[in-house]
Amino acid sequence: MAKLINGQAISAEIKAEIALEVQELKQKGIIPGLAVVLVGSDPASQTYVNLKEKACAAAGIYSEKYALPSTTHQDELFDLVNRLNHKKEIHGILVQMPLPDGLDEESVIETIDPWKDVDAFHPSNVGRIMIGNYRFLPCTPAGIMEMLRREKIAVAGKNCVVVGRSNIVGKPMAMLLMHANGTVTVCHSKTKDLADVCRRADILVASVGRPKFITADMVKPGACVIDVGMDRDENGKLCGDVDFEPVSKVASAITPVPRGVGPMTIAMLLRNTLTAAKIQNAIPNRKKVC
Ligand code: NAP
């Protein structure tokens, strides 16, 4: 039976470390601040934004929430982001994606000051990740790397397979695994013989968005399986991209859904906000993001 990688517990540890660092900053008169912008009324986005606000409060990070109607015009969003770019108390800006139809996500992301881009979606930060010289890392892949590190699951020399090539998870995940000296294969909907490719993985990361897509026959015995998916099963119950019960009988380590990757993503957002506050106040950053 696979070891359960408890993202909830690991993230609690990280959040406690962040809270201490926030206290230290406060003694220097600096309060890290995050602005979260939510456009429209997508229930999942509302839930994520609420979780992020709560996590900020618990860590002592100041946060501001801007909830805008789905009828918001692109220019209004640009204006808000520009105001936040210049607002001194705000060190990090997060525009919750996806945006409602009619709003151009790419140009909104490009409007965010790269030094405040705590999601690390701005092309300048994406480029830095590519060359391995980053300010911030995208929260979900960074959370996974931190999880592996704290669980002492070595990446160097391992065959790593990432299923999914999204800009927010799959691509940066592949890059971070490669920077950590893994031998990385990225799969997508056009990949041939997906099960064969997955079976070669010592570390298998699934970010597909399809419930229970990774089945036990796709997993090498003893592999570490990381499930990014936040899906709903046939009964509407939250589940991941991995068929958890059968796969956990084959893998050596596995993340559950919920309480796996999700909480790590939020912990990394707090870490990025703290890093942003330090950078903007010319305070050396003791910890790297991962
Ligand atoms: P996405 O943008 O929808 O991308 C899905 C990827 O899966 C695409 O690259 C797609 O290939 C690939 N794919 C789809 N069907 C496939 C198939 N049959 N075989 C192989 N590959 C296939 O997804 P995402 O944003 O990475 O999100 C994926 C899941 O993670 C979702 O459930 C999302 O809710 C969850 N998520 C969770 C967190 C967290 O913090 N836990 C964070 C982000 C996302 P193509 O490129 O060829 O279309």
Side-chain angles (χ1 to χ4, degrees):
M1 203 60 184
K3 179 185 180 202
L4 198 71
I5 303 178
N6 187 339
Q8 183 94 34
I10 301 172
S11 79
E13 230 172 79
I14 297 169
K15 285 180 191 165
E17 293 164 10
I18 292 170
L20 280 180
E21 286 191 59
V22 169
Q23 285 314 314
E24 283 174 25
L25 268 194
K26 283 186 177 168
Q27 282 161 16
K28 296 186 167 82
I30 301 158
I31 304 170
L34 174 72
V36 182
V37 180
L38 172 68
V39 190
S41 53
D42 176 57
S45 294
Q46 281 175 337
T47 305
Y48 296 142
V49 164
N50 290 341
L51 288 172
K52 288 166 187 175
E53 274 196 295
K54 266 196 193 158
C56 279
I61 292 175
Y62 167 71
S63 74
E64 289 180 355
K65 176 173 153 186
Y66 295 84
L68 309 178
S70 55
T71 50
T72 300
H73 192 269
Q74 184 94 16
D75 288 340
E76 294 173 75
L77 198 48
F78 286 157
D79 285 348
L80 172 60
V81 171
N82 274 321
R83 276 206 312 280
L84 295 170
N85 281 342
H86 292 100
K87 194 164 181 179
K88 230 174 141 261
E89 309 81 61
I90 293 300
H91 305 99
I93 302 169
L94 179 157
V95 179
Q96 185 66 44
M97 300 293 166
L99 291 175
D101 289 348
L103 292 173
D104 177 14
E105 292 182 353
E106 269 180 43
S107 44
V108 172
I109 289 168
E110 287 187 33
T111 308
I112 299 173
D113 177 346
W115 294 97
K116 294 192 175 186
D117 171 38
V118 285
D119 261 337
F121 291 166
H122 190 286
S124 136
N125 286 320
V126 174
R128 283 176 163 270
I129 293 159
M130 173 80 100
I131 57 176
N133 172 18
Y134 50 80
R135 304 174 180 119
F136 314 112
L137 289 176
C139 301
T140 303
I144 293 170
M145 295 305 289
E146 187 65 26
M147 224 176 196
L148 294 174
R149 194 175 71 77
R150 290 188 187 229
E151 288 290 308
K152 301 192 175 19
I153 296 169
V155 175
K158 300 276 178 69
N159 281 330
C160 307
V161 174
V162 180
V163 190
R165 56 175 167 182
S166 64
N167 288 338
I168 61 166
V169 186
K171 286 180 199 162
M173 186 73 248
M175 205 53 67
L176 298 193
L177 289 166
M178 191 180 69
H179 288 321
N181 296 319
T183 303
V184 184
T185 307
V186 181
C187 302
H188 44 77
S189 65
K190 308 289 184 294
T191 298
K192 293 215 163 64
D193 304 322
L194 181 68
D196 278 353
V197 181
C198 289
R199 266 194 301 272
R200 280 184 237 140
D202 301 308
I203 298 173
L204 179 62
V205 180
S207 187
V208 187
R210 293 183 172 214
K212 304 180 187 182
F213 179 77
I214 303 288
T215 47
D217 60 307
M218 298 167 81
V219 176
K220 174 173 158 177
C224 166
V225 179
I226 305 291
D227 190 350
V228 180
M230 298 273 267
D231 312 314
R232 297 275 161 191
D233 70 9
E234 57 283 5
N235 303 314
K237 195 172 161 233
L238 183 64
C239 72
D241 288 348
V242 175
D243 196 5
F244 183 82
E245 290 300 334
V247 170
S248 57
K249 294 192 173 86
V250 181
S252 63
I254 188 167
T255 61
V257 176
R259 292 182 285 282
V261 172
M264 293 299 295
T265 299
I266 293 184
M268 292 300 111
L269 172 69
L270 303 183
R271 163 73 55 212
N272 282 352
T273 304
L274 180 63
T275 302
K278 286 183 181 176
I279 294 174
Q280 286 160 49
N281 286 282
I283 292 173
N285 191 25
R286 268 191 275 127
K287 276 216 167 98
K288 284 200 103 182
V289 182
C290 80

